[in-house]
Amino acid sequence: MLIRTGRDGFQHPAGSEITPQAVYEDRRRMLQWMATGAAGAALASWAGREAFAQAARPGKLAALPGAKSNVAGAATMEKLTDYKDATTYNNFYEFGTDKADPAQNAHTLKPNPWTVEIEGLVKKPGKYALEDLLKLSAQEERVYRLRCVEGWSMVIPWVGYSLSNLVNRVEPMGNAKYIEFLSQADPKTMPFVGSRVLDWPYAEGLRMEEAMHPLTLLTFGMYGEVLPNQNGAPVRLVVPWKYGFKSAKSIVKIRFVEKEPRTAWNKAAANEYGFYSNVNPNVDHPRWSQATERRIGEDGLFAKKRKTLMFNGYEAQVGQLYAGMDLKKNY
Ligand code: MTE
């Protein structure tokens, strides 16, 4: 981008950078007030209100509140990504390959009524209506990072419950070693289903221990409301220590299987997308370094990239799932 400077090279501050008189005086009063020592308690309550304001409902869709989760989220103290950014910069290839496409096109998705079919190696297979799935366990709000393989990340307050609640309910058989997740693939409502970019339906998979890990969230909402279509309504997965593509959207089928299932991205380019796809700054994607990431919403000219953390910052919780594994081979 071209930046215009004055003749002497001096850059005039933009209007927004000049502090208006009233704001300046307010600040001065605030500093004087703090100097009196009376500010401590008031500041604490102000900080509390800030944290609350951060997670305030956007007021766009039906409310889906969740009690603060006990399951630790490493991102809980980070600034949340703006709702607008999280809902207009998406990957949902059923609606187009451009980041802006899903927000524009996904209005045709019909998240209601919705059923999820559970099949394969379980004692209790069957079809679950969305309403029943929603009630199966209490909704929790968890702030997780989502780190995309393309090198960007977001911090989002997701609403859902640990997938293990559902898995336990359907009673997997002893030989069920993996779970396959299939997204809806309806060419009538999803304009890019049928395009050659992926083999439809979008498919993802987890090893049983990964699916049972308490961090793995069966997700029905975000920012205190039901999921917007473009983010995978009405039910998706969020697996916070794996690259974003493992978090399948608009799930219609959950299949318990014995052998490692093929996944959509693995079928499309096996040398680029392995089954595990754990966030790992030490193992580069053939086309992109994975050492750093750009936080969406921090894209100013001088915004620094952040260092990507092992397992996206969830190493303490999930590292033991991969003890002894060669993570370069099992990428
Ligand atoms: N699920 C389906 N069904 N189709 C997709 O194209 N994209 C994946 C994942 N789940 C995708 C999907 C990718 S690449 C990412 S990074 C995340 O969804 C993006 O989730 P978000 O749009 O909510 O940020």
Side-chain angles (χ1 to χ4, degrees):
M1 194 209 292
L2 202 65
I3 299 173
R4 270 229 315 257
T5 58
R7 242 178 295 146
D8 51 2
F10 171 74
Q11 275 190 37
H12 292 280
S16 59
E17 288 169 29
I18 302 167
T19 312
Q21 179 85 8
V23 173
Y24 168 77
E25 280 176 358
D26 255 7
R27 259 187 228 156
R28 221 171 53 157
R29 244 180 310 195
M30 177 76 167
L31 287 172
Q32 280 168 353
W33 178 61
M34 285 173 75
T36 66
L43 262 185
S45 85
W46 175 77
R49 247 188 301 137
E50 271 294 281
F52 178 75
Q54 224 194 14
R57 265 190 64 198
K60 305 259 187 215
L61 298 169
L64 183 66
K68 211 170 170 339
S69 175
N70 288 326
V71 178
T76 309
M77 302 308 288
E78 291 182 45
K79 184 177 179 299
L80 298 181
T81 299
D82 277 351
Y83 183 82
K84 187 155 188 277
D85 288 331
T87 55
T88 53
Y89 191 89
N90 301 103
N91 277 330
F92 200 170
Y93 276 32
E94 288 84 336
F95 295 99
T97 54
D98 193 86
K99 297 284 177 282
D101 287 343
Q104 268 173 23
N105 301 333
H107 58 90
T108 51
L109 177 80
K110 290 204 174 60
N112 190 12
W114 195 270
T115 19
V116 177
E117 195 169 355
I118 313 277
E119 60 176 42
L121 305 170
V122 288
K123 294 195 188 119
K124 294 183 174 163
K127 288 185 177 169
Y128 277 74
L130 181 69
E131 302 76 69
D132 298 332
L133 270 189
L134 273 162
K135 282 186 283 189
L136 201 114
S137 184
Q139 301 293 332
E140 297 175 8
E141 179 173 275
R142 299 197 190 156
V143 178
Y144 284 163
R145 295 187 197 100
L146 185 135
R147 203 287 192 187
C148 183
V149 73
E150 297 159 339
W152 48 267
S153 62
M154 300 195 192
V155 177
I156 293 178
W158 302 102
V159 183
Y161 53 73
S162 293
L163 175 70
S164 61
N165 290 304
L166 173 63
V167 175
N168 286 331
R169 172 65 67 100
V170 300
E171 299 181 23
M173 296 175 188
N175 55 345
K177 300 275 188 287
Y178 295 89
I179 307 183
E180 195 179 5
F181 302 88
L182 301 177
S183 298
Q184 190 181 59
D186 174 16
K188 283 195 235 93
T189 54
M190 299 172 138
F192 273 66
V193 165
S195 77
R196 295 224 219 119
V197 57
L198 285 175
D199 186 12
W200 312 100
Y202 191 95
E204 261 309 334
L206 293 174
R207 215 171 64 185
M208 186 61 85
E209 297 79 6
E210 298 174 323
M212 291 300 286
H213 193 283
L215 282 177
T216 301
L217 191 71
L218 191 64
T219 307
F220 302 90
M222 55 196 263
Y223 299 84
E225 300 183 351
V226 297
L227 286 170
N229 286 357
Q230 60 269 36
N231 292 83
V235 53
R236 68 176 291 173
L237 215 55
V238 180
V239 193
W241 70 95
K242 292 180 180 277
Y243 291 114
F245 65 88
K246 297 297 286 183
S247 297
K249 295 177 167 180
S250 305
I251 294 170
V252 290
K253 213 169 254 193
I254 300 181
R255 188 185 283 153
F256 290 71
V257 296
E258 187 160 12
K259 293 208 178 86
E260 186 183 289
R262 297 293 307 279
T263 65
W265 285 105
N266 182 250
K267 280 193 232 172
N271 64 325
E272 299 191 13
Y273 309 104
F275 178 77
Y276 282 93
S277 303
N278 292 318
V279 174
N280 188 340
N282 309 315
V283 178
D284 287 338
H285 179 276
R287 285 183 285 138
W288 307 296
S289 159
Q290 298 296 1
T292 59
E293 66 202 54
R294 184 171 63 88
R295 180 64 49 84
I296 298 298
E298 291 181 354
D299 347 52
L301 200 54
F302 304 108
K304 269 203 186 139
K305 284 198 166 184
R306 292 165 180 259
K307 278 197 172 149
T308 288
L309 303 172
M310 189 65 201
F311 295 114
N312 205 18
Y314 301 92
E315 185 170 17
Q317 292 103 315
V318 301
Q320 79 282 359
L321 290 176
Y322 309 99
M325 256 175 83
D326 181 344
L327 297 177
K328 281 208 165 78
K329 264 198 209 141
N330 298 288
Y331 57 94

